[in-house]
Amino acid sequence: MTLSIKSADQLKELPNESELNFGTLFSDHMFNMDYNPEKGWHNPRIEPYHAFSMDPSTMVLHYGQSIFEGLKAFKTPSGGVNLFRPRENFKRFNRSARKLCIPELDEGFALEGLVELLKLEKRWVPGVPGTSLYIRPTIIATDPFLGVRASYTYRFFIILSPVGAYYKEGFNPVKIWVTDKHVRAVRGGMGEVKTAGNYAASLYAGEEAHHNGYTQVLWLDGVELKYIEEVGSMNIFFVIDNELVTPSLSGSILSGITRDTVIRLAKKWDLPVTERRIAIDELVDHYEAGRLQEAFGSGTAAVISPVGEIKYKDKNMAVGDGSVGPLAKRFFDAITDIQYGRAEDPENWVLPLETA
Ligand SMILES: *Cc1c(COP(=O)(O)O)cnc(C)c1O
């Protein structure tokens, strides 16, 4: 398959890098590719960024058959561009595709498409500390049809968005709200895949948390409302009695690449790290006995998000002393140093655009 490239006649003005937010601006070009049963995935192309026109009956608008990924490109001190573990994103994209009955992509070819797009859009990778170019690969069902079945046709696209530093006001702990009413996902359902409906399902509890003065929701399992799953759209880690503990991948938890990176680093640093079920009541016991030292979320957007307070029923649990815990800080620094090319990369996590 050959990739065609049609450049934009006019390029946009670049934004002020110190005023970037999240997800509001998009670069000059996008990647598109189509699927139908006769041709399979075909017509890969880079084109000017543009709006889609679609029939109001397009299946994705009605039944949510869509998947996405999220990763970032980072500017290095020498002006190069790094991707961080991008093959893991395309592997997970295909796992999501299988679960949603979407035809799989050739992972290598999808990554090549992204690399070509980034080569064209290099000027959109911001250089102010903490900024990056967010990458959003997406697949949507495109049959114009109102019956419930898997679509026969699909569109795969990649768009790019320059984003600001996640911690503009400093690397401060957030307050999280444990919901014992709403659930995000159940075992056997869609929790382990990045599909649109999961985020729609999370909105109501998120608003409830905000209304009560909390930033994120800590989700419990969908069957017993007993075991800790994730925080917002991040995985969660606790430091209990000097041991790093994170919920095991139960089928309803998204398998985060940042989560995997934290676990691998912990093993390398000889820190005890355990993936297991953690009941919210167990966490409360550790807190009351003074054993809960740290809590933090992990995900591409924030990398590490320290948690300063956990609210469960009538309990307000203050984690640590209110400042960022030493392990949260250590993981954040180690991961971002590798991503931005400031540190050695012994595991070959980084894919520099120059060598891709
Ligand atoms: C994307 C996502 C994560 C984090 O995954 P990363 O690969 O680390 O970015 C965690 N939970 C949910 C629900 C997610 O959508």
Side-chain angles (χ1 to χ4, degrees):
M1 247 186 318
T2 47
L3 176 68
S4 70
I5 300 181
K6 180 177 185 297
S7 322
D9 293 333
Q10 232 185 341
L11 299 183
K12 298 173 187 172
E13 201 178 312
L14 288 178
N16 180 338
E17 289 187 6
S18 39
E19 287 170 8
L20 292 170
N21 295 308
F22 183 86
T24 53
L25 300 169
F26 302 95
S27 73
D28 294 300
H29 299 89
M30 67 188 298
F31 175 92
N32 281 303
M33 179 154 77
D34 296 307
Y35 180 92
N36 67 37
E38 298 76 44
K39 295 187 181 163
W41 285 110
H42 65 282
N43 194 14
R45 58 205 185 273
I46 290 170
E47 307 173 279
Y49 186 94
H50 63 278
F52 293 149
S53 131
M54 51 175 103
D55 195 285
S57 70
T58 301
M59 289 183 84
V60 67
L61 301 176
H62 301 271
Y63 307 123
Q65 194 192 6
S66 74
I67 56 172
F68 67 91
E69 269 302 325
L71 66 161
K72 284 173 168 179
F74 306 90
K75 175 83 68 75
T76 69
S78 56
V81 173
N82 280 350
L83 287 167
F84 185 71
R85 307 187 72 184
R87 289 181 188 88
E88 299 301 318
N89 290 91
F90 285 107
K91 256 191 234 165
R92 185 170 66 190
F93 204 33
N94 266 343
R95 288 204 302 275
S96 298
R98 286 195 288 275
K99 186 93 186 190
L100 271 289
C101 302
I102 291 171
E104 287 176 53
L105 292 165
D106 176 328
E107 289 162 23
F109 186 77
L111 179 55
E112 254 175 64
L114 169 59
V115 164
E116 288 309 313
L117 177 63
L118 284 170
K119 283 182 176 164
L120 193 63
E121 301 292 66
K122 228 181 138 180
R123 71 186 193 108
W124 283 91
V125 184
V128 161
T131 63
S132 57
L133 185 66
Y134 185 78
I135 300 163
R136 171 54 59 88
T138 306
I139 298 177
I140 56 172
T142 51
D143 284 8
F145 179 56
L146 285 189
V148 176
R149 58 155 170 78
S151 181
Y152 300 139
T153 63
Y154 297 88
R155 166 70 54 87
F156 165 39
F157 61 91
I158 306 175
I159 53 176
L160 307 174
S161 176
V163 299
Y166 197 86
Y167 297 105
K168 277 209 182 84
E169 277 97 52
F171 188 47
N172 294 318
V174 297
K175 294 163 66 179
I176 63 176
W177 168 270
V178 186
T179 174
D180 59 351
K181 280 210 297 283
H182 309 291
V183 301
R184 177 188 163 270
V186 293
R187 253 192 336 271
M190 290 286 162
E192 63 187 354
V193 300
K194 267 182 131 67
T195 184
N198 285 344
Y199 305 84
S202 75
L203 300 177
Y204 193 94
E207 299 234 323
E208 190 178 65
H210 288 154
H211 182 77
N212 287 285
Y214 291 78
T215 321
Q216 299 270 7
V217 174
L218 184 66
W219 298 102
L220 301 179
D221 76 274
V223 178
E224 295 177 77
L225 282 161
K226 185 171 167 190
Y227 298 101
I228 294 169
E229 298 230 309
E230 300 196 56
V231 57
S233 47
M234 288 184 285
N235 296 111
I236 183 92
F237 285 85
F238 301 100
V239 182
I240 301 166
D241 231 357
N242 298 317
E243 181 188 27
L244 198 58
V245 182
T246 192
S248 36
L249 298 175
S250 57
S252 50
I253 295 175
L254 203 284
S255 172
I257 294 161
T258 319
R259 173 187 183 277
D260 182 71
T261 304
V262 167
I263 292 171
R264 285 170 192 268
L265 282 175
K267 288 182 176 160
K268 216 173 107 178
W269 296 342
D270 284 327
L271 298 173
V273 52
T274 312
E275 297 173 65
R276 63 172 172 85
R277 290 215 294 193
I278 312 158
I280 184 71
D281 290 332
E282 180 196 333
L283 193 76
V284 171
D285 288 346
H286 291 306
Y287 165 73
E288 290 187 334
R291 289 188 295 258
L292 177 60
Q293 296 154 297
E294 287 188 49
F296 56 87
S298 73
T300 295
V303 185
I304 298 292
S305 179
V307 172
E309 185 187 319
I310 303 170
K311 164 91 169 166
Y312 177 56
K313 297 197 171 166
D314 55 355
K315 277 201 172 23
N316 264 324
M317 302 185 273
V319 185
D321 62 4
S323 64
V324 176
L327 273 185
K329 173 97 173 73
R330 189 172 175 200
F331 284 116
F332 180 81
D333 289 344
I335 295 170
T336 52
D337 281 349
I338 294 172
Q339 290 173 331
Y340 285 93
R342 296 186 297 251
E344 292 287 294
D345 173 31
E347 317 298 326
N348 274 315
W349 281 333
V350 159
L351 178 66
L353 204 57
E354 296 68 31
T355 64

